[in-house]
Amino acid sequence: MAFTTLVGANGSDVTSFIGTDGSDSLNAANIDTASYVGARKSGDTITVSTNTSATTIKGGEGADTLDTRSTSATLTNSFINLNKDNDILDLGALVNSTVMGGSGSDNVFITELRGGKYNGNKGNDTTTVNGATDTFVYSGQGDDVSTLAGTISG
């Protein structure tokens, strides 16, 4: 299955990528405008392969995977909410962005978090943040394991 792309009418509108009720896969590349990615039911895979700003990514029901680390992409001024189920979040750099784990036992790895907020929310999450500057990291409810490594400042 695939995501549906809805392009805004002019340069200031948001481009939206909307999933289906099945398992979907999206490789978001060369997004140079504000964008919205909305996964639906089932387990979806979302890869962001270029630096992007002002992006909202919402997982749906099902075990979703979001990856920016393998492509070294940086998300700036963005919002991520994984929503329900046991999700995998494998992120490179996040700048002034907010990440919400949602419910479920999530596995989260963030290479670098600068000027943002991470909240694991509900579930038994395993979280590793390899570097953080001027950042808030909250484990949330559940029996979480959080590791802050690398350079931590601010």
Side-chain angles (χ1 to χ4, degrees), residues 4-89:
T4 300
T5 304
L6 305 172
V7 180
N10 63 48
S12 63
D13 288 342
V14 172
T15 298
S16 297
F17 303 91
I18 308 297
T20 67
D21 285 346
S23 295
D24 301 311
S25 181
L26 172 69
N27 185 356
N30 301 319
I31 299 173
D32 57 1
T33 184
S35 58
Y36 171 82
V37 177
R40 302 284 184 179
K41 296 181 179 178
S42 298
D44 300 306
T45 300
I46 301 165
T47 302
V48 178
S49 57
T50 56
N51 296 343
T52 188
S53 181
T55 298
T56 296
I57 300 173
K58 291 189 177 183
E61 297 176 26
D64 300 315
T65 299
L66 172 59
D67 176 27
T68 68
R69 186 167 63 127
S70 69
T71 63
S72 300
T74 298
L75 297 179
T76 304
N77 299 321
S78 296
F79 176 79
I80 299 166
N81 186 340
L82 295 176
N83 287 327
K84 295 182 178 180
D85 290 318
N86 304 332
D87 302 308
I88 297 171
L89 182 62

